Amino acid sequence: MQLTLEFGGGLELLCDSKKIHNVNVEFEQQNGEDKLTMKGLLSWVRTNLIKERPEMFMKGDTVRPGVLVLVNDCDWELSGQLNTSLEEKDVVVFISTLHGG
Amino acid sequence: MEGKRSVRMCCLCNERRASLSRPKTLEQICRECFYLAFEDEIHQIIVSNRLFIRGDRVAIGASGGKDSTVLAYVLSKLNRIHDYGLHLFLLSVDEGITGYRDDSLETVHRNQIQYGLPLKVVSYKDLYGWTMDEIVKLIGLKNNCTFCGVFRRQALDRGAAFLKADKLVTGHNADDIAETVLLNILRGDIARLSRCSSIITAEDGPIPRCKPFKYTYEKEIVMYAYFKKFDYFSTECIYSPNAYRGFAREFIKDLERIRPRAILDVIKSGENFRISTTTKMPEQGTCERCGYISSQKWCKACVLLDGLNRGLPKLGIGRSRVAIGCKEENESHGGKSIESKQCGSLDF
């Protein structure tokens, strides 16, 4: 699935200082579902894009508290957080709030 | 939620797609309603707490980060549309941290142009003769924030005095204040606890300081800045990883995840603290060396500076809180009870 991922608020430093990543995510079918969810995407990102200090990005199965997630410019809290299903060409933005203001 | 993604409508206007969930109220609202709610809430806080009077010269502590950028924008906007009649300035502090402050100052210079506000920069080098880089080289990577925080406080006052400001505003948000309440409880610092949750503090320095974002969630500030495409600087200070505040922050963030209102509730608890009349509180006087506000003979900045200049970087840091000129005491006297300790002297 083709997706555009953006990292902001300092998270880009964990992915080679690159803010925007156009990626093709290959995923396995789980439980007969052929949809990729945010849960699957996070796991993919941790393995493939995060080059250092993964604890700054994720805590357990989900993002570290203090990291905001937007799917197509909408807060993922509206679409079920980890259960949010993703579609082709979606734009997912991760913004860290954990820095001085 | 399996199947086709459902589109939620804004619960306030019901006309547009909801873009975010407000942590304070759990409302699902669209961008436009969010902007209005956000700005209007700040306006109500300013008015109901009587933060400003017409004609006030107000210095905005601007670091180039998310909070101060949004603060400068919103304050200018509200000043215009509600005609507060304020004269606004940007005030920035250059601590001399290479690779951190020099970049964020560039952002402030851009803000100066974007918002059309005059800018004043004060530097540690000019005020104290030391940059943070030089200080850290001397003291190592522990207790950096103690030096920087103390120096910054005075630097802001000096800058505000230069601008002949009547008030100083900073972008401290609800998350910051909740962290500070926790920190002060963990340290047993009752004097600070009673001051830190006020929205306007006049006792901390010559110029009253206000925090219009006191009840504003960090998440909303970031979302506001993101949707409006603000230009802000967002990196952790390179010397901060060992700061104790980091632990308080982790805890507050974990709390927020479980119950977002917890942040406002922690602040409320901080506000509601009542101190027993038998507790000894520090009295406010002035520093003998520089005349700044102080509860001890010398203000903290003078103590720290003295230590740096004499090559005794541990002076003023850590366990013993003794007057200048005395030998360092070992605090492990048996039999001293908690009540007899002067407040603010419990260390970890």
Side-chain angles (χ1 to χ4, degrees):
Chain A
M1 189 183 283
Q2 304 272 23
L3 298 170
T4 304
L5 307 179
E6 286 183 32
F7 295 87
L11 286 176
E12 62 274 20
L13 296 176
L14 307 178
C15 340
D16 293 327
S17 297
K18 207 170 142 206
K19 283 198 165 167
I20 304 183
H21 297 251
N22 292 305
V23 299
N24 196 350
V25 178
E26 274 149 31
F27 60 102
E28 292 157 13
Q29 288 202 15
Q30 278 169 8
N31 309 325
E33 291 283 321
D34 59 352
K35 287 243 168 224
L36 175 65
T37 62
M38 276 304 301
K39 185 168 178 181
L41 178 65
L42 282 184
S43 179
W44 186 91
V45 170
R46 180 175 31 202
T47 315
N48 295 286
L49 287 183
I50 306 290
K51 300 291 188 255
E52 54 177 294
R53 294 178 291 156
E55 69 281 1
M56 302 294 249
F57 179 65
M58 283 181 70
K59 189 165 164 175
D61 268 345
T62 186
V63 291
R64 187 181 173 203
V67 174
L68 305 178
V69 184
L70 292 134
V71 179
N72 298 328
D73 270 1
C74 277
D75 189 353
W76 77 335
E77 308 252 343
L78 299 179
S79 47
Q81 290 196 34
L82 287 174
N83 291 324
T84 307
S85 60
L86 295 166
E87 288 163 17
E88 201 73 37
K89 304 267 184 48
D90 272 352
V91 178
V92 181
V93 179
F94 300 99
I95 313 175
S96 171
T97 65
L98 302 162
H99 50 81
Chain B
M1 295 216 249
E2 288 89 2
K4 196 162 178 282
R5 264 205 297 250
S6 54
V7 171
R8 296 201 187 187
M9 300 307 278
C10 170
C11 69
L12 292 180
C13 69
N14 218 15
E15 286 167 21
R16 290 171 287 256
R17 257 183 79 188
S19 286
L20 79 146
S21 166
R22 296 197 74 189
K24 204 183 286 203
T25 55
L26 298 178
E27 282 166 330
Q28 305 188 336
I29 62 179
C30 68
R31 272 191 233 193
E32 285 75 15
C33 288
F34 171 53
Y35 298 153
L36 286 173
F38 185 84
E39 290 159 13
D40 195 55
E41 272 169 27
I42 308 291
H43 169 62
Q44 293 307 327
I45 290 194
I46 290 176
V47 166
S48 63
N49 288 287
R50 284 187 270 253
L51 296 184
F52 308 119
I53 51 183
R54 195 167 194 83
D56 265 349
R57 291 172 67 88
V58 177
I60 302 174
S63 62
K66 58 189 184 347
D67 303 310
S68 45
T69 301
V70 173
L71 179 62
Y73 175 86
V74 172
L75 206 46
S76 332
K77 182 168 182 182
L78 293 178
N79 191 31
R80 241 180 13 250
I81 63 183
H82 293 288
D83 191 33
Y84 293 160
L86 307 174
H87 303 285
L88 300 174
F89 304 88
L90 292 174
L91 175 58
S92 222
V93 178
D94 180 6
E95 304 95 338
I97 302 177
T98 329
Y100 174 66
R101 192 49 84 202
D102 37 6
D103 289 339
S104 76
L105 278 179
E106 272 176 39
T107 308
V108 188
H109 283 282
R110 280 201 293 274
N111 288 342
Q112 173 190 22
I113 300 169
Q114 286 157 351
Y115 306 147
L117 298 174
L119 165 68
K120 166 81 184 149
V121 181
V122 287
S123 79
Y124 283 5
K125 190 71 187 175
D126 289 338
L127 287 175
Y128 309 116
W130 289 80
T131 61
M132 271 316 289
D133 285 343
E134 289 163 0
I135 293 176
V136 175
K137 258 205 207 81
L138 186 63
I139 69 173
L141 290 168
K142 259 189 99 173
N143 297 314
N144 309 140
C145 297
T146 301
F147 282 83
C148 198
V150 171
F151 287 165
R152 182 180 307 107
R153 199 168 271 270
Q154 275 212 24
L156 279 174
D157 279 330
R158 301 268 164 92
F162 178 89
L163 289 170
K164 301 210 208 324
D166 300 297
K167 307 242 165 65
L168 183 57
V169 295
T170 51
H172 290 94
N173 58 49
D175 300 50
D176 294 328
I177 299 197
E179 284 163 24
T180 306
V181 170
L182 256 186
L183 274 178
N184 287 328
I185 290 177
L186 290 169
R187 286 185 174 139
D189 195 334
I190 301 209
R192 287 216 172 86
L193 186 58
S194 58
R195 293 194 307 261
C196 75
S197 30
S198 309
I199 193 168
I200 177 163
T201 43
E203 303 96 33
D204 272 344
I207 299 182
R209 287 167 185 235
C210 0
K211 304 180 175 114
F213 283 169
K214 181 185 170 193
Y215 300 105
T216 310
Y217 277 66
E218 192 165 56
K219 170 181 171 178
E220 299 203 344
I221 293 176
V222 175
M223 292 298 238
Y224 189 87
Y226 174 74
F227 287 141
K228 291 223 165 202
K229 302 205 183 329
F230 287 163
D231 166 25
Y232 66 85
F233 185 72
S234 55
T235 307
E236 284 267 25
C237 173
I238 53 184
Y239 299 131
S240 73
N242 298 325
Y244 194 59
R245 181 175 283 265
F247 296 103
R249 180 180 295 168
E250 274 284 323
F251 185 69
I252 292 285
K253 284 297 172 191
D254 283 336
L255 269 184
E256 186 191 12
R257 184 162 269 192
I258 300 170
R259 190 168 75 80
R261 265 207 88 88
I263 292 184
L264 291 182
D265 294 340
V266 169
I267 298 176
K268 187 96 189 135
S269 301
E271 286 168 350
N272 286 349
F273 256 83
R274 294 287 176 270
I275 297 148
S276 156
T277 46
T278 53
T279 306
K280 184 179 190 311
M281 295 284 274
E283 271 162 34
Q284 204 187 82
T286 46
C287 170
E288 283 180 9
R289 215 178 92 160
C290 71
Y292 193 65
I293 237 172
S294 171
S295 60
Q296 314 290 328
K297 248 175 79 170
W298 278 16
C299 71
K300 193 75 171 181
C302 284
V303 172
L304 293 176
L305 259 182
D306 191 50
L308 287 175
N309 291 327
R310 287 205 274 156
L312 294 170
K314 289 259 185 258
L315 207 59
I317 304 272
R319 295 206 151 260
S320 56
R321 307 276 172 130
V322 293
I324 310 300
C326 300
K327 244 172 40 163
E328 282 207 4
E329 279 174 28
N330 195 325
E331 262 198 332
S332 56
H333 299 151
K336 268 212 169 159
S337 66
I338 295 275
E339 286 86 30
S340 64
K341 275 196 191 290
Q342 203 188 15
C343 80
S345 62
L346 286 179
D347 264 319
F348 46 88

